[in-house]
Structure formats: structure tokens, C-alpha cells
Amino acid sequence: MIGISIALKIAGGIQMSETKTDLRVLRTRKLIMDAFIDLSGKKEFKDITVKDITTEAMINRATFYYHFEDIYDLLETVLEEVLLINLKSKNYEQDEWNETTITSLFLAVTDFQQALSNRCHRGYEDVIARIIREQLEVILYKLLCNHGSVENQESLKATATMLSWGVYGASVEWRRNSNEISAEEYIQLCLPFILSRKPD
């Protein structure tokens, strides 16, 4: 369905949730996700079944449903983890709201979208968009807390929401014109206005 396998292999594999500490649980969860990633390189998402995944992972259906509610839950989990690898979100916790950080975020989102764009079924674009915006909102809120007063949390949350939609929207617009300008050149056009300074 999507080029997830390439993105994950480049990133060095799936990062597991820190909440599950049992190594057997982690191994089985990774096995299921790897099976899904391998299948996604051969089939469209709509054609992948739970049976395909359990056969590929050599597990039973009960084991699959212990880890994931359904195949859509699995899809969202894989997409979220691939995006987090691209964003490397922990790196932003102590960062400042500046040119380097904004550029880095934008390039991470455009790289993620490009990895998915070749084979992603149109019916799942809304899922991908929501995941990108939600993850961006969390990161942007942390950045804004570092940059401004944490006392005004509602304003910071509202600003993070607005910016997350803006970054996502800009990445979609860039993709439409990606043959004309690089992602880095595109974000450079916006930076003077995002950072409230006069263009050079």
C-alpha cells in the first residue's frame, strides 16, 4: 500500500512503546508490524487481511487482537511510529522556536509524505493527515512552551493547533509543486514572515 518499509528500514526499525516492558510482548508486536510492513510492499492496504498478517507473522488471530483492535488500528500505529521516527520528536523538547527548528519540522513532514505518496490509497489520506497534525501539535506546543510563558497554556495550545494545520497545509501545497522548488527552498520563503522579520 505505502512505502512504509523503505522509511522504516532507513530509520533503523520500529521504535517500541516504552509502556510495554515484557520483551515477549514487544517481540510479538514488532513481528506483527513487520509482517504488515512486508505485506504493504506487495499489496494495497485494502487487500491486506488479518489472516494475511497472522500467516506472515506465524501467529494466531487471538494474538493479533491482543495487540491491535483491528487492521485500521495497526495501520495508524505503524504510520504514527514511522512519523515519529521522521520527526525524532524527543529532540524538540528542549529546542527553541527558530529557523532551524521550523525547517527541520517541515522537512521531516515532507520526507514522511514523500515516503507514502507513491502507493498510498486516496481513501486513507485523511488518516495520514490527522496523524501528522496531531503529532505536530504536540511538538509545536512543547516548542512554544520553551519560547513563551507556560502560564498562558490555552493560547499556546490554540497556537500549536493553528501552526500544525499550517505546516501540514504548506507540505501538501509544496508536494503539488515539488518539481519546481525543493522543500528547503519552499520553507525558506516563509521563514521571514513566520518569525516576524523582514525578508532579506
Side-chain angles (χ1 to χ4, degrees):
M1 167 219 159
I2 45 185
I4 307 174
S5 51
I6 298 169
L8 279 173
K9 283 170 186 171
I10 290 172
I14 298 171
Q15 295 177 344
M16 294 290 107
S17 168
E18 293 176 0
T19 57
K20 294 186 177 180
T21 54
D22 189 324
L23 287 177
R24 289 170 300 176
V25 172
L26 290 174
R27 278 193 216 103
T28 305
R29 183 172 179 269
K30 184 178 186 307
L31 197 64
I32 295 168
M33 294 175 76
D34 285 346
F36 173 72
I37 290 161
D38 288 341
L39 287 165
S40 74
K42 303 167 191 171
K43 294 182 171 186
E44 288 285 339
F45 173 73
K46 63 184 175 60
D47 298 323
I48 299 173
T49 65
V50 171
K51 187 176 188 305
D52 290 334
I53 294 165
T54 57
T55 301
E56 183 82 13
M58 293 187 291
I59 58 167
N60 59 44
R61 287 177 69 87
T63 302
F64 175 89
Y65 286 110
Y66 173 79
H67 292 274
F68 300 98
E69 290 179 17
D70 53 31
I71 200 163
Y72 298 97
D73 180 34
L74 173 58
L75 170 67
E76 289 201 26
T77 302
V78 170
L79 287 172
E80 284 173 2
E81 297 208 4
V82 174
L83 178 60
L84 284 171
I85 289 168
N86 270 38
L87 289 173
K88 300 182 181 70
S89 60
K90 288 183 181 177
N91 294 349
Y92 295 107
E93 288 182 8
Q94 302 302 322
D95 283 352
E96 294 292 327
W97 176 252
N98 58 32
E99 184 172 326
T100 303
T101 307
I102 297 166
T103 302
S104 175
L105 274 175
F106 184 75
L107 294 178
V109 171
T110 53
D111 287 348
F112 175 70
Q113 288 184 304
Q114 281 190 302
L116 304 182
S117 63
N118 293 334
R119 301 188 62 194
C120 186
H121 194 280
R122 285 182 180 274
Y124 308 103
E125 286 180 349
D126 287 347
V127 174
I128 293 165
R130 177 178 54 76
I131 289 168
I132 291 173
R133 290 195 309 266
E134 285 175 355
Q135 297 298 334
L136 278 174
E137 193 171 329
V138 171
I139 293 170
L140 288 163
Y141 176 69
K142 288 176 183 174
L143 283 169
L144 291 169
C145 284
N146 293 341
H147 184 69
S149 170
V150 291
E151 295 172 6
N152 200 353
Q153 289 192 5
E154 288 308 309
S155 292
L156 294 179
K157 285 177 184 174
T159 304
T161 300
M162 185 187 75
L163 289 171
S164 68
W165 279 80
V167 172
Y168 173 72
S171 72
V172 171
E173 187 60 30
W174 171 77
R175 277 177 57 206
R176 292 185 184 135
N177 304 289
S178 57
N179 58 330
E180 298 171 14
I181 188 171
S182 72
E184 191 154 9
E185 289 171 322
Y186 187 91
I187 192 62
Q188 290 299 319
L189 295 173
C190 310
L191 285 172
F193 303 98
I194 295 171
L195 296 168
S196 300
R197 60 179 171 79
K198 291 182 180 179
D200 296 330

